[in-house]
Amino acid sequence: METLFINNLQKFVNADSRNNQTSTAPCTSAIDHYKYYQFCLIPALLITMAFAATKKRRNILLNMFSGRPGLIYPMDSLTRSSTISYACAFGATAILVYRIVLDQTYAIEYKGAGAVKSFIVIASMFIYGMVFFPVFGSLALKTVFSFGLGTAYVWMMIAIDIFKLAECQVDPKYRVLLVLRGLPSLLCLLYLSISMPIRMVTAFKQGKYFFWDEVEEGEENSMEDIRDSYSGHHVAKLFRKPVLKLPPEGLKQRVANLVIGLFHRFVYQRQRGFRYPSKMISVMFVALIVIYTMTLEIMALFPPMIQLYGEDLLYQMDNTIASSPAANESSDDTDLRKALYFGYRVLGILRVCLIVSTVLATVSSLFNVLHTLSSYRQNLYALYRGDHSHIPPASAYSNASHCVNSIKYAGFQVGYIIWSYVLQGLILFLLTFVLAIVILLIMNDVNKWIILLLELLWPVVLTAVIVALVQLLLAKYFFLQGRGVYLALNNRSFYFNFTYFMFFYNIFLGLVSCLLRILKAMFLGIVFLSRLDNSTLPRRFEFIDPGFKAYVGYMQIEAAHTHPVVIIFTRVMMLGLQHKRERVRAQEGKLNAEGTTQLNEAKEGATQLNAAKEGVTQLNAAKEGATQLNGSHCASNEMQLKTREKSVQRDDDVIIQVSVSERVYKSEEERRRREAARFNWHVMYTLLHNPDIRVMRKGYLQMLRQARLFGVHIAVSDRQADINFDKLQQDITDAREKYNPTAKKSKDKAYDDDAHNDDVTETEMVDVEAGKGDVKKTSVVVLTKTWTHDELDVSVTEITHC
């Protein structure tokens, strides 16, 4: 591709008719594009297989080959780590993306039937992706082995790119253009060739040599790691009070704040602590590199070509006719000189318009990329808050649709940015060219048509402006009350008359307004074509906008998997469960240690008891001549001694177990009381500072159901948390007593009198209407509540009649 760019530059130089030198031969690259990517598949596949051998499978054939090899992925689309490295990895593919989009160059050379070309395109995409897969895989695995192979692979690619830049013998200025054209890709590979060895040393220090670790770095489940994580900082920021900004003082500070505010609103606003996902940064980086390459090629090829044609036109004019008119010159020569000179000036205008339009389109694309990043952050925060004013809720489309659209987003975003750049450049070129031609005609005294056009349009424009101002002044000071403060009509008779007569004038004004609406829609559609965060269609027709649907799907997937509050809550719960398991293990170990100690003490006591028994046996042997009565008496004493030994041993074990269990129970019960008190304090603190949450608690929802059941009126308010809960509970109690007062009295009496604690029944009747039109169904629902020995039994009977 580098040789193609150089050959195009040399064609313009060789086409110069004023150049009498020998034309330069075209440059032929020693590295064929098709063979290069096809042969690169060999090391790419070998490296990928080596990477797969370092990872285990999760579900399939776990016992075969020790669970290896496993499936590796090039990049975690939801990660916010290694953003620069992933962006550079994608940046290395930017030139390839540019060649695929504009030159339609694929990995397989094919010139056959068009029906097979679609399969060639699909195969080429897999080949291109596989060639760059080792670079992404090494960044994803994060081991010494992966970084080592990835470094060697990147060094091979950067060596080949440098060889392509230096293989052709060209003019020094063309060499500079060639280097500038490939500079982004070269810098990306250079960054990877330096950062990967550094990461390899870091992985070596961490002990990550060969095998992939499923636990991401920085995701250790401890409270310090949770606080220091990106999600932890975000959640901690939510609990801080926002800093109030003082209004600016002085004219200079006001002007500066106004300019900064406009830049933040229309371009970009940085927010400290926010971290973009690697996928978003990589996509925008690739798009900017492609825009940079297109701008460089346009500025390097077309303006010099136009200038060359203009100089050649002057050269031809000097050779055919004189540059200045002669005294006896014919009218044909004079007209020819004017036509040639006019053509020369038109070529100069084309060159200037091309440069201006290209620069403006590039700046517009840069601003759109920056504003897209700012809008992404704003929309993501809105989804975190549950605000769906801009992004439709997840229920608007199916989950499968969101997943598919999320996959499409990256490619769609790059394609939309490229198309937006091209269309904006064309539109700006036409506008600037038309404006320049008008100025050129005025400079050549061709201005009668402009005067006629102004004479035709200025009365219409002036009348429309005057009528618009009159309507605004009348509406503010005559038709509305309080000088427009209140939306309440005043002087209605005059208002009705004015509306009637303006009806006929607004018909003519509506014709012009319709044309302006079309022009505005075209202008905004072209300007914001690359902005997938804003649909070019109305809100009701957003579902047929594929770009906006891709953005919505990506945002929904991103919000569902990266919500900081959900992540921190899950990690805190996992940390609590981990601490609970450790505490249980510690208690079990403590019990085992104490039980072992007491058992050893019991064994020592049993040993002493056995020694005493041996002494008793020797004493009995010495008294062999004693009487039978004495022998019987000794045997009886020995049995009592054994029984006492067993009972003492059993009692000691029971006492030991009971004492240990009581200590553990008391400590566990105290811990639970402390945790419950702390939890209740947190709930109370949260409700005091966030009263709107009260309406979502279980008690309030139960009160609402009771209020609807007994017909208690609840005032409709935008802030339901302002409702007096105590008064509402009292109203529900009064309504219950009013509904069936005898049942309450008998229920209270039944509770007070234990001797006559018979069944107490409370009956309630509720009318429910259903149906449409003249046909109504009224259902009488009878609720029978029976209290029997402090137990509630509810039966429902429904009687339906029309």
Side-chain angles (χ1 to χ4, degrees):
M1 188 172 181
E2 289 77 8
T3 57
L4 180 63
F5 176 67
I6 291 298
N7 293 334
N8 290 331
L9 288 176
Q10 291 178 351
K11 283 181 182 179
F12 298 140
V13 178
N14 297 335
D16 187 4
S17 60
R18 298 176 293 109
N19 188 6
N20 296 324
Q21 299 178 0
T22 306
S23 59
T24 306
C27 176
T28 303
S29 177
I31 301 177
D32 184 68
H33 171 80
Y34 304 103
K35 293 182 179 179
Y36 169 68
Y37 283 101
Q38 291 171 9
F39 281 109
C40 279
L41 280 177
I42 299 174
L45 288 173
L46 293 176
I47 293 174
T48 304
M49 293 172 62
F51 287 167
T54 63
K55 184 179 178 182
K56 289 186 176 182
R57 298 184 294 272
R58 291 186 176 183
N59 300 317
I60 303 174
L61 301 175
L62 299 180
N63 297 327
M64 183 179 294
F65 302 110
S66 300
R68 304 179 190 278
L71 182 64
I72 62 174
Y73 52 83
M75 175 185 177
D76 183 1
S77 301
L78 303 174
T79 184
R80 282 176 163 81
S81 62
S82 304
T83 304
I84 299 179
S85 298
Y86 279 120
C88 289
F90 275 101
T93 67
I95 296 296
L96 185 61
V97 172
Y98 172 78
R99 191 164 187 179
I100 292 172
V101 173
L102 297 181
D103 294 344
Q104 302 293 316
T105 303
Y106 305 113
I108 301 175
E109 187 176 9
Y110 179 75
K111 298 180 180 180
V116 188
K117 191 174 182 180
S118 58
F119 299 99
I120 298 298
V121 172
I122 296 175
S124 299
M125 297 305 103
F126 279 102
I127 292 174
Y128 287 147
M130 199 64 219
V131 167
F132 287 93
F133 193 91
V135 182
F136 293 94
S138 62
L139 295 175
L141 290 178
K142 300 180 181 179
T143 60
V144 177
F145 180 69
S146 67
F147 283 131
L149 291 181
T151 301
Y153 194 76
V154 169
W155 285 351
M156 180 199 72
M157 298 181 73
I158 196 173
I160 294 175
D161 284 353
I162 293 175
F163 175 77
K164 288 181 179 180
L165 294 177
E167 64 176 336
C168 293
Q169 299 296 328
V170 294
D171 214 44
K173 60 180 180 180
Y174 295 153
R175 178 80 66 191
V176 172
L177 289 176
L178 191 62
V179 171
L180 290 176
R181 180 178 172 276
L183 187 61
S185 178
L186 198 63
L187 290 177
C188 290
L189 291 175
L190 185 62
Y191 175 84
L192 291 175
S193 64
I194 297 174
S195 65
M196 280 188 175
I198 297 176
R199 290 174 178 269
M200 182 173 61
V201 174
T202 304
F204 182 81
K205 293 180 180 179
Q206 294 176 353
K208 300 179 180 179
Y209 302 112
F210 290 98
F211 301 110
W212 181 75
D213 189 5
E214 295 187 6
V215 180
E216 290 289 338
E217 183 179 358
E219 292 293 330
E220 290 80 6
N221 211 22
S222 64
M223 190 56 67
E224 290 76 13
D225 296 322
I226 293 175
R227 290 195 189 99
D228 296 337
S229 64
Y230 167 74
S231 301
H233 287 300
H234 178 84
V235 174
K237 184 180 178 182
L238 296 178
F239 288 96
R240 300 192 192 105
K241 291 184 179 180
V243 180
L244 298 178
K245 295 183 179 180
L246 298 177
E249 297 179 357
L251 180 60
K252 183 178 180 180
Q253 189 175 2
R254 290 179 182 177
V255 173
N257 287 347
L258 179 61
V259 174
I260 294 174
L262 292 176
F263 181 82
H264 289 169
R265 181 178 180 182
F266 295 103
V267 183
Y268 181 75
Q269 182 178 4
R270 181 178 179 270
Q271 186 167 348
R272 187 182 301 275
F274 183 79
R275 191 184 302 170
Y276 288 97
S278 301
K279 181 179 180 179
M280 174 65 71
I281 296 297
S282 301
V283 167
M284 296 303 172
F285 189 61
V286 170
L288 289 178
I289 291 178
V290 174
I291 296 299
Y292 166 82
T293 306
M294 294 176 65
T295 302
L296 183 65
E297 289 199 358
I298 291 173
M299 300 293 286
L301 294 176
F302 293 103
M305 181 185 66
I306 295 174
Q307 184 178 6
L308 187 65
Y309 287 154
E311 293 176 356
D312 188 65
L313 186 62
L314 288 179
Y315 180 75
Q316 295 293 338
M317 183 175 64
D318 292 338
N319 291 336
T320 53
I321 57 177
S323 58
S324 58
N328 57 352
E329 186 179 54
S330 64
S331 59
D332 294 337
D333 293 339
T334 303
D335 295 338
L336 180 61
R337 181 185 297 104
K338 289 182 179 181
L340 293 175
Y341 187 71
F342 184 79
Y344 172 76
R345 300 199 52 183
V346 169
L347 288 177
I349 290 173
L350 283 174
R351 179 174 176 271
V352 173
C353 292
L354 181 62
I355 295 174
V356 171
S357 60
T358 304
V359 171
L360 291 178
T362 305
V363 173
S364 176
S365 299
L366 177 61
F367 282 177
N368 281 332
V369 167
L370 294 176
H371 201 279
T372 299
L373 292 174
S374 181
S375 180
Y376 163 82
R377 181 183 60 219
Q378 182 180 358
N379 294 333
L380 188 62
Y381 279 158
L383 289 179
Y384 287 164
R385 297 190 304 268
D387 182 8
H388 300 285
S389 57
H390 183 72
I391 302 297
S395 58
Y397 307 102
S398 64
N399 294 332
S401 177
H402 286 314
C403 184
V404 173
N405 291 325
S406 176
I407 297 171
K408 293 179 180 178
Y409 170 72
F412 274 32
Q413 184 65 78
V414 176
Y416 274 62
I417 290 176
I418 294 174
W419 265 114
S420 175
Y421 172 81
V422 173
L423 293 178
Q424 287 180 13
L426 291 176
I427 297 298
L428 289 172
F429 175 75
L430 293 176
L431 292 178
T432 53
F433 182 72
V434 171
L435 181 62
I437 291 297
V438 171
I439 296 174
L440 182 62
L441 291 176
I442 295 175
M443 292 175 61
N444 288 276
D445 296 333
V446 184
N447 51 14
K448 292 183 179 180
W449 64 274
I450 297 178
I451 297 175
L452 293 176
L453 185 63
L454 292 177
E455 289 179 352
L456 180 64
L457 293 180
W458 78 265
V460 179
V461 176
L462 182 61
T463 304
V465 172
I466 292 175
V467 170
L469 290 176
V470 169
Q471 291 183 80
L472 181 62
L473 294 175
L474 288 176
K476 185 174 183 180
Y477 297 102
F478 195 71
F479 292 147
L480 294 177
Q481 299 178 13
R483 293 188 175 184
V485 177
Y486 309 106
L487 190 61
L489 288 175
N490 196 9
N491 300 315
R492 296 195 175 193
S493 299
F494 189 76
Y495 171 77
F496 295 147
N497 283 283
F498 188 79
T499 304
Y500 172 75
F501 287 104
M502 288 302 298
F503 166 74
F504 301 99
Y505 174 78
N506 286 329
I507 293 177
F508 299 100
L509 191 63
L511 297 175
V512 180
S513 177
C514 181
L515 296 177
L516 292 177
R517 182 182 184 182
I518 296 174
L519 295 177
K520 290 177 182 178
M522 293 175 59
F523 174 77
L524 294 177
I526 294 297
V527 171
F528 297 107
L529 181 60
S530 63
R531 297 284 304 278
L532 298 189
D533 55 318
N534 293 321
S535 177
T536 56
L537 302 177
R539 188 63 185 264
R540 293 185 178 181
F541 298 95
E542 288 175 347
F543 65 95
I544 60 175
D545 188 348
F548 184 72
K549 285 182 63 178
Y551 180 78
V552 170
Y554 174 71
M555 293 300 297
Q556 293 293 350
I557 294 291
E558 189 77 15
H561 291 81
T562 63
H563 200 299
V565 178
V566 177
I567 292 175
I568 294 301
F569 175 79
T570 305
R571 294 185 64 181
V572 169
M573 292 296 102
M574 292 175 64
L575 180 62
L577 182 61
Q578 179 182 351
H579 286 174
K580 184 177 180 180
R581 290 175 178 173
E582 293 175 355
R583 188 166 55 251
V584 170
R585 294 193 192 99
Q587 290 176 358
E588 290 178 353
K590 184 178 180 181
L591 287 174
N592 293 333
E594 292 182 355
T596 303
T597 303
Q598 297 295 335
L599 183 59
N600 292 333
E601 293 177 356
K603 287 181 179 179
E604 291 179 0
T607 304
Q608 295 176 1
L609 190 59
N610 291 331
K613 288 168 59 179
E614 290 178 359
V616 172
T617 304
Q618 293 176 0
L619 182 61
N620 292 333
K623 295 180 179 180
E624 291 179 355
T627 60
Q628 185 176 1
L629 179 61
N630 292 332
S632 301
H633 181 70
C634 291
S636 177
N637 289 336
E638 185 178 356
M639 291 178 61
Q640 292 179 3
L641 184 60
K642 291 182 179 179
T643 305
R644 184 179 301 176
E645 175 189 352
K646 294 181 180 179
S647 63
V648 169
Q649 184 177 1
R650 184 175 62 253
D651 292 341
D652 290 340
D653 293 340
V654 172
I655 291 172
I656 292 170
Q657 296 295 334
V658 169
S659 61
V660 173
S661 300
E662 286 181 354
R663 290 199 301 270
V664 173
Y665 175 77
K666 289 181 179 179
S667 62
E668 185 70 17
E669 191 68 24
E670 182 180 0
R671 184 187 63 80
R672 290 180 180 177
R673 286 200 305 270
R674 291 177 179 271
E675 290 184 354
R678 189 183 301 110
F679 178 77
N680 292 333
W681 167 256
H682 289 164
V683 171
M684 183 186 69
Y685 184 85
T686 303
L687 293 177
L688 286 176
H689 290 79
N690 302 273
D692 294 339
I693 305 179
R694 299 168 63 190
V695 301
M696 303 175 64
R697 291 179 61 80
K698 181 179 179 181
Y700 178 74
L701 298 177
Q702 290 179 349
M703 290 174 62
L704 288 182
R705 287 195 291 269
Q706 293 179 8
R708 296 190 190 99
L709 181 63
F710 295 105
V712 177
H713 175 70
I714 301 177
V716 179
S717 174
D718 293 336
R719 288 180 53 85
Q720 298 184 18
D722 295 338
I723 298 175
N724 192 336
F725 286 76
D726 296 334
K727 185 177 182 303
L728 180 60
Q729 183 64 40
Q730 185 62 37
D731 293 342
I732 293 173
T733 304
D734 296 342
R736 184 186 292 112
E737 294 177 0
K738 183 179 179 181
Y739 225 49
N740 200 346
T742 59
K744 180 169 186 310
K745 291 181 180 180
S746 33
K747 181 181 68 173
D748 296 339
K749 183 178 179 181
Y751 278 120
D752 293 337
D753 191 2
D754 295 335
H756 301 84
N757 192 7
D758 298 330
D759 295 348
V760 181
T761 303
E762 179 179 338
T763 304
E764 302 170 0
M765 300 179 64
V766 181
D767 293 340
V768 180
E769 288 189 0
K772 297 182 179 180
D774 297 331
V775 180
K776 293 284 186 178
K777 282 187 177 182
T778 304
S779 300
V780 180
V781 180
V782 180
L783 302 179
T784 304
K785 300 180 181 179
T786 305
W787 283 269
T788 304
H789 299 286
D790 296 339
E791 295 182 359
L792 175 62
D793 184 17
V794 180
S795 61
V796 180
T797 305
E798 180 178 357
I799 305 174
T800 305
H801 61 277
C802 297

